[in-house]
Amino acid sequence: MICREHDGAIVMVKQHDHGKLAGELAIWFKEEHVPEEGRRDEVLWAVAEHDRGWIDLDETPFWNDAEHAPYSFIDFPVVPKLTFYKRGLDEIEARTPYGALLCSLHFERLIKISGLDYPELTLYQEHEEERRSRIHRELEVSKPIGEDELYYDARLLEFCDDLSLYLALNEPGSPKSEEHPWWREGFSGSEDFSFTSGRTITVEWKDKSTLVLDPFPFKKTVEVAFMLKRVQQSEIAKRGIAPAYRDTPEEECRIVLTALNES
């Protein structure tokens, strides 16, 4: 789950819903592969499905006694997290080996950023390194991977994942001082896209339904939507996290993404 607190409630977004939102963002992204023989369809599918390993886990949230809050994707126990990472990657590879390569690299980056050090992590990383090497060898025979292609696709997944997380982790309309700290200075890596001319993409809320991005990364103004639940903490205290979550109705959050000179 992606979780944040707001006005006496815990706002909760399923990881796979966040992934589908990332896929929607990727569809409208300004840059596309230069080669006509690129893997665009595979990449878009992989971006949308990159967190599919969480589908079953997110049906029922787990309570973290130490933090007095639901476990989120950030603090979820490492061993089951890695198990479901692998399961998701296996499912992605069955559909698109290149997509699995891309997502495996993405998770490797997240693990390194986390700074965690567990024996289980070492085993997972060794397994994924073998997966990536095997996919490279197999695709070298049928459809070789260009290094520029892989680098661009990795940046695309990283940015769309980050922006989707930003939308889930911030209350629409929040001032900069109340934003989640990860992106207050912009989206790391976005300066690598050619259209930014080396600038980092930054965001700021115009109002409770409009987010301004500069430089603007999409082909046009985009309206996106995702589902969330606002689970009242009073209900959690009375009934427990599982029934409180189950009986809270979903609501749709709709956000317009626009450029600075159009806002």
Side-chain angles (χ1 to χ4, degrees):
M1 282 293 175
I2 299 167
C3 306
R4 59 181 171 85
E5 295 185 19
H6 182 73
D7 284 350
I10 299 178
V11 182
M12 306 180 75
V13 177
K14 290 182 178 181
Q15 282 275 55
H16 190 48
D17 287 346
H18 139 73
K20 290 187 289 185
L21 174 58
E24 179 71 14
L25 296 171
I27 290 172
W28 296 108
F29 199 77
K30 189 174 289 185
E31 287 191 341
E32 297 180 9
H33 293 304
V34 176
E36 291 184 3
E37 66 273 22
R39 299 174 170 89
R40 177 171 170 77
D41 289 343
E42 292 180 71
V43 172
L44 294 179
W45 189 87
V47 173
E49 298 290 326
H50 76 274
D51 272 333
R52 66 175 294 103
W54 292 88
I55 291 175
D56 291 339
L57 276 175
D58 278 355
E59 282 305 307
T60 304
F62 297 83
W63 191 253
N64 185 338
D65 290 328
E67 298 296 330
H68 306 289
Y71 276 110
S72 74
F73 71 102
I74 297 172
D75 59 7
F76 197 80
V78 169
V79 173
K81 179 190 291 189
L82 296 178
T83 299
F84 283 88
Y85 268 180
K86 180 181 178 300
R87 173 177 167 179
L89 287 167
D90 289 345
E91 293 175 356
I92 292 169
E93 185 176 358
R95 168 74 177 262
T96 161
Y98 181 75
L101 170 63
L102 195 61
C103 293
S104 179
L105 286 169
H106 181 64
F107 293 147
E108 182 74 10
R109 181 183 71 89
L110 296 181
I111 288 170
K112 289 180 178 178
I113 290 173
S114 73
L116 296 174
D117 185 17
Y118 292 87
E120 295 84 1
L121 271 175
T122 300
L123 292 173
Y124 168 85
Q125 289 173 302
E126 289 174 352
H127 178 274
E128 287 306 312
E129 187 173 346
E130 291 175 3
R131 183 201 302 269
R132 294 193 295 269
S133 295
R134 172 174 49 76
I135 291 173
H136 266 290
R137 290 194 303 270
E138 292 170 354
L139 291 181
E140 190 63 32
V141 175
S142 59
K143 195 174 184 180
I145 302 169
E147 287 306 311
D148 289 345
E149 176 187 23
L150 184 58
Y151 184 82
Y152 167 76
D153 290 336
R155 296 287 76 73
L156 177 66
L157 173 54
E158 177 184 346
F159 175 76
C160 293
D161 181 48
D162 277 354
L163 181 55
S164 179
L165 275 177
Y166 175 94
L167 294 172
L169 282 171
N170 286 285
E171 186 66 21
S174 299
K176 274 290 176 188
S177 60
E178 296 177 10
E179 279 185 347
H180 195 284
W182 287 353
W183 303 286
R184 284 180 187 161
E185 303 302 319
F187 293 88
S188 176
S190 61
E191 65 276 5
D192 291 343
F193 296 117
S194 61
F195 65 86
T196 67
S197 300
R199 296 169 58 201
T200 300
I201 295 174
T202 58
V203 294
E204 188 164 359
W205 292 100
K206 176 185 177 184
D207 52 44
K208 291 187 176 182
S209 62
T210 308
L211 185 68
V212 177
L213 295 87
D214 183 46
F216 190 63
F218 302 111
K219 301 171 187 175
K220 63 174 187 176
T221 295
V222 177
E223 184 177 20
V224 296
F226 60 97
M227 305 305 294
L228 57 82
K229 287 191 176 189
R230 297 181 184 270
V231 186
Q232 296 299 314
Q233 295 192 19
S234 58
E235 285 297 303
I236 296 172
K238 285 193 300 184
R239 306 173 60 210
I241 183 61
Y245 177 82
R246 180 192 64 221
D247 295 338
T248 299
E250 280 192 321
E251 62 181 79
E252 184 181 64
C253 180
R254 303 192 72 86
I255 303 294
V256 174
L257 308 174
T258 190
L260 179 62
N261 57 7
E262 296 179 6
S263 61

